[in-house]
Amino acid sequence: MPLRRYIRGWFDDRRAPVILMFHRIAEPACDPWGLSVAPSRFEAQMRALKACRIPLSTADFVSGLEDATLPALAVAVTFDDGYIDNVRVAKPILESVGIPATMFLTTGYLGKQKEFWWDELTRLILAGRAAVEGSLVIGSRVFAVRLPALADAAARPSSTWRAWQPPRTPREHLYFDIWNELRVLDHAAREHGLERVRHLFGQPAPSENDLPMSAEDVRHLVTGACIDIGAHSETHQPLTTLHVNDRRREIQGSRSVCETLAGKPVEAFSYPHGDLDAPTAQLVRESGYRWACSTHPAAIDRARFDLFNLPRVQALDWTAPELERALEKARADA
């Protein structure tokens, strides 16, 4: 790293360090949560970070935060969930550009040949074309389903819809309502609810490119010095919805699997859905982690920070200049 940029990065009080949050490097047909960045855009984003920021591993980022040596231009890259494209697509780009990253794994999905539940729901409802009529009982709610057939791709605007926007179509309304209900169910009840959705909508096979990693994928992921892994729970359940013993099992069990796969201690945790409270953060601390990330969208305040509630800025499918503007804007929220 050029010394001039490091010195400028430390004294530049107009900016603040940022931890970026990614999920997928892919181009799925529907992406209601904006989880995916196209491979070409991701590479451009990484090259922009290399040119304009000071990329650090998350371990070095946290160490600098602790000992008050973290530059204002520092940036760390993280990924949540453990999609297979992280190892197939993101890893080669990160290594080529020279950007370190931490990838947080939902260990209960590894090697299951099964989509994450929110992706399966997206594929069944938003990406479907056939007419569907019937009823669904999920959790405490009954959903009356009456969806017309979609004749062509032009009649399927859900490919551009994002879940933070008001739903525009019956499919989008249904998807969002069922997602909200499934999110807070325990793992078994959620699977039971999904099975009812499968029965009503049919069960088309998922694409291999949309699946989580296998254990062998993770072992390949951590080869080399570029990528570390962290824990992201076992089942991606919002932790505050669970009994304390179940929270502890999710937190500790995920770490145990990650350490076995990495062959070394795992110090980092990411809260599923960014869902945490003080008792949950304390459980993470007591479980032996050194730091943990939330999804609160802000830069890092170097004067006031909580190592077990580090905010992150979610990277969207931005051009490189759009990413740079997002990093600039994040400093105002630090």
Side-chain angles (χ1 to χ4, degrees), residues 1 20 27 37 51 53 56 62 75 104 120 122 127 137 145 201 218 223 261 284 304 321:
M1 176 197 314
L20 285 170
E27 298 179 86
V37 176
R53 285 270 171 165
L56 300 174
V62 170
V75 64
F104 295 102
E120 182 175 11
T122 296
V137 179
V145 179
F201 281 79
V218 177
T223 59
L261 293 171
V284 172
R304 296 182 304 166

Side-chain angles (χ1 to χ4, degrees), residues 298-325:
I300 300 291
D301 186 337
R302 291 177 291 175
R304 296 182 304 166
F305 58 87
D306 180 350
L307 285 179
F308 289 87
N309 188 5
L310 294 173
R312 292 183 293 174
V313 173
Q314 180 176 343
L316 300 177
D317 190 31
W318 292 321
T319 63
E322 287 172 334
L323 173 65
E324 293 174 26
R325 286 194 292 272

Side-chain angles (χ1 to χ4, degrees), residues 33-291:
W33 298 102
L35 301 182
S36 299
V37 176
S40 59
R41 287 196 167 186
F42 178 68
E43 181 170 358
Q45 290 176 1
M46 294 303 99
R47 294 194 182 282
L49 293 183
K50 191 74 171 179
C52 301
R53 285 270 171 165
I54 302 174
L56 300 174
S57 69
T58 45
D60 288 343
F61 189 103
V62 170
S63 293
L65 194 56
E66 289 179 302
D67 61 23
T69 61
L70 186 67
L73 288 176
V75 64
V77 171
T78 66
F79 284 74
D80 278 6
D81 301 330
Y83 285 94
I84 198 167
D85 54 64
N86 292 181
V87 65
R88 292 180 176 178
V89 184
K91 176 180 168 72
I93 293 172
L94 292 166
E95 290 177 335
S96 172
V97 180
I99 302 284
T102 295
M103 298 190 175
F104 295 102
L105 307 181
T106 308
T107 54
Y109 278 88
L110 296 177
K112 298 296 186 185
Q113 293 296 302
K114 179 180 179 181
E115 295 160 291
F116 291 107
W117 69 264
W118 53 89
D119 289 328
E120 182 175 11
L121 190 69
T122 296
R123 179 170 56 85
L124 294 175
I125 298 179
L126 292 183
R129 295 172 179 267
V132 181
E133 187 168 345
S135 64
L136 290 168
V137 179
I138 297 178
S140 61
R141 293 191 59 183
V142 178
F143 296 91
V145 179
R146 184 171 295 173
L147 300 177
L150 300 180
D152 52 46
R156 196 176 66 189
S158 295
S159 60
T160 60
W161 173 70
R162 297 294 178 260
W164 52 83
Q165 300 169 335
R168 304 162 300 183
T169 70
R171 287 180 185 270
E172 291 168 3
H173 278 282
L174 182 67
Y175 169 85
F176 190 71
D177 288 345
I178 292 179
W179 182 92
N180 270 319
E181 192 68 22
L182 289 173
R183 177 183 176 272
V184 297
L185 297 179
D186 63 42
H187 183 65
R190 183 188 301 129
E191 179 58 28
H192 186 62
L194 274 171
E195 184 56 38
R196 290 178 169 176
V197 178
R198 294 178 196 123
H199 180 74
L200 183 61
F201 281 79
Q203 300 188 45
S207 167
E208 179 190 355
N209 296 325
D210 296 330
L211 298 176
M213 284 184 268
S214 67
E216 188 58 36
D217 291 324
V218 177
R219 294 188 187 97
H220 176 63
L221 182 74
V222 297
T223 59
C226 184
I227 296 174
D228 280 328
I229 60 173
H232 195 42
S233 82
E234 292 180 324
T235 65
H236 210 278
Q237 182 75 15
L239 294 176
T240 63
T241 67
L242 299 175
H243 184 276
V244 64
N245 291 336
D246 294 324
R247 288 188 224 183
R248 184 179 291 109
R249 185 192 68 249
E250 290 267 352
I251 293 165
Q252 295 180 352
S254 183
R255 185 181 190 219
S256 177
V257 171
C258 287
E259 289 184 334
T260 297
L261 293 171
K264 63 180 182 179
V266 166
E267 298 182 322
F269 186 80
S270 169
Y271 301 97
H273 300 282
D275 179 63
L276 75 149
D277 55 16
T280 302
Q282 183 60 29
L283 282 174
V284 172
R285 186 190 303 268
E286 292 171 356
S287 296
Y289 294 95
R290 181 180 163 210
W291 52 274

